[in-house]
Amino acid sequence: MSIKYSILDLATIVKGDDINTTFQKSVKAAQNAERLGFTRYWFSEHHNFPNVASAATSILIGHVAGQTETLRVGSGGIMLPNHSTLSVAEQFGTLDGLFPERIDLGLGRAPGTDMLTASALRGNNFNPNYNFEFHIKELQKYMSNENSGSKVRAIPGEGADVPLYILGSSTDSAFLAAKLGMPYAFAAHFAPSQLEVALEIYREHFQPSEFLDAPYVMICINIIGADSVDEAHYLSTSHFQAFVNILTDQRQPLLPPDETDLANIGDDVALHLNRMAAKTFVGDRETLKEKLSKFVKDFRPNEIIVSGNIYDFDAKQKSYEIAADIIKSL
């Protein structure tokens, strides 16, 4: 079985870059991904993060899709509780009209931010007991041709050819993806602890649907590759520092390796860092091939989504090239 390979981009803001430069880098990275044979290029909705510029996710998807030719571009994901399902259907229906057969819609139920910001986003629609399944089905209804007789229609959106994916990092999302017969993308790049049990649940309980005959597993992991092990570990310090900054609530643009300080973190932070980074793979080609071969054998993904924060843009593109070469060979 050949494994597809894709990219998750948060439009990461690195120290010294402005927003425009950040978006230019995402375009160049997507164009490079297209040349390297990546299947899709996803952006994830986040808010109130000084190092993440993918808040207006659908706008960024359209911008990147317009400057690539064959690459699928989509959301990994849209945080559905932050939006009305009608507006999501209209936005992605518009994208599908502009870029037919190239748009993906991954859906998550996390806020993609802190609860105070989530409350500001949702206003009077804030609901701590959000029914994810109900709203996925509502979104599917708006995007179906069968909704043409309804008094409320998504135009654009109705009949759009936009595949939906369920994103998650827990067993709840695994049960739901299985029940609805939808492809399942697990966020092991930052929350890997329930990966094994979630995939077991998804595969065991999967119910075939109009979308899928069999389970389709996508796993997002961090891959930081370089020509030497030492260089890869040097580059990875920016990535681990970004994790530490999340854990200590000291968020800032992505730092260059020389400005990181990982030697002085406390034991408690180190423990949580190790848990978050359990599916972060760092090394040269030989080391990564060994690690990723075992990963594929253990978890049997249909698709690997590559993430990972690297400060230097050229080094990051080199890491993508190494990852693509290795995954193609597995």
Side-chain angles (χ1 to χ4, degrees), residues 263-311:
N264 298 309
I265 62 176
D267 291 343
D268 189 51
V269 173
L271 178 64
H272 284 90
L273 174 61
N274 287 334
R275 289 173 178 167
M276 287 181 72
K279 292 297 178 282
T280 296
F281 300 92
V282 180
D284 62 5
R285 290 175 186 269
E286 183 179 352
T287 305
L288 286 173
K289 186 167 185 178
E290 181 179 347
K291 292 179 178 179
L292 292 174
S293 294
K294 184 178 186 307
F295 175 81
V296 166
K297 182 179 179 181
D298 289 343
F299 297 104
R300 298 175 288 120
N302 300 93
E303 186 168 337
I304 291 175
I305 304 175
V306 179
S307 186
N309 286 313
I310 297 176
Y311 178 83

Side-chain angles (χ1 to χ4, degrees), residues 240-284:
F240 292 122
Q241 184 68 58
F243 274 170
V244 169
N245 290 346
I246 292 172
L247 292 168
T248 57
D249 199 25
Q250 297 185 19
R251 305 177 191 189
Q252 57 186 313
L254 188 73
L255 295 175
D258 289 345
E259 294 183 27
T260 60
D261 182 18
L262 298 172
N264 298 309
I265 62 176
D267 291 343
D268 189 51
V269 173
L271 178 64
H272 284 90
L273 174 61
N274 287 334
R275 289 173 178 167
M276 287 181 72
K279 292 297 178 282
T280 296
F281 300 92
V282 180
D284 62 5

Side-chain angles (χ1 to χ4, degrees), residues 103-317:
I103 302 300
D104 294 331
L105 177 48
L107 300 167
R109 74 172 143 206
T113 186
D114 58 273
M115 296 312 294
L116 184 63
T117 305
S119 179
L121 279 168
R122 301 172 193 175
N124 294 332
N125 295 320
F126 187 83
N127 180 5
N129 300 312
Y130 183 79
N131 188 329
F132 193 32
E133 179 180 354
F134 172 84
H135 287 93
I136 288 175
K137 290 180 176 179
E138 185 176 62
L139 175 62
Q140 290 172 325
K141 181 192 74 171
Y142 283 131
M143 299 186 79
S144 71
N145 286 314
E146 289 71 28
N147 198 54
S148 61
S150 173
K151 290 185 177 180
V152 179
R153 299 171 64 186
I155 302 173
E158 193 173 286
D161 182 19
V162 179
L164 270 56
Y165 303 77
I166 290 186
L167 314 182
S169 58
S170 70
T171 55
D172 288 346
S173 57
F175 276 115
L176 183 57
K179 178 182 179 180
L180 299 180
M182 294 172 63
Y184 182 44
F186 192 93
H189 62 300
F190 75 93
S193 62
Q194 295 191 53
L195 172 62
E196 184 172 4
V197 64
L199 295 190
E200 287 178 0
I201 288 168
Y202 174 63
R203 288 176 169 131
E204 180 180 345
H205 294 272
F206 182 85
Q207 300 178 28
S209 69
E210 61 182 296
F211 314 108
L212 279 179
D213 294 327
Y216 190 86
V217 170
M218 310 161 78
I219 308 176
C220 187
I221 57 176
N222 300 303
I223 299 176
I224 298 175
D227 287 331
S228 71
V229 173
D230 287 345
E231 182 187 3
H233 281 287
Y234 173 75
L235 295 172
S236 73
T237 57
S238 300
H239 179 83
F240 292 122
Q241 184 68 58
F243 274 170
V244 169
N245 290 346
I246 292 172
L247 292 168
T248 57
D249 199 25
Q250 297 185 19
R251 305 177 191 189
Q252 57 186 313
L254 188 73
L255 295 175
D258 289 345
E259 294 183 27
T260 60
D261 182 18
L262 298 172
N264 298 309
I265 62 176
D267 291 343
D268 189 51
V269 173
L271 178 64
H272 284 90
L273 174 61
N274 287 334
R275 289 173 178 167
M276 287 181 72
K279 292 297 178 282
T280 296
F281 300 92
V282 180
D284 62 5
R285 290 175 186 269
E286 183 179 352
T287 305
L288 286 173
K289 186 167 185 178
E290 181 179 347
K291 292 179 178 179
L292 292 174
S293 294
K294 184 178 186 307
F295 175 81
V296 166
K297 182 179 179 181
D298 289 343
F299 297 104
R300 298 175 288 120
N302 300 93
E303 186 168 337
I304 291 175
I305 304 175
V306 179
S307 186
N309 286 313
I310 297 176
Y311 178 83
D312 181 86
F313 181 76
D314 291 336
K316 188 169 186 176
Q317 303 318 298

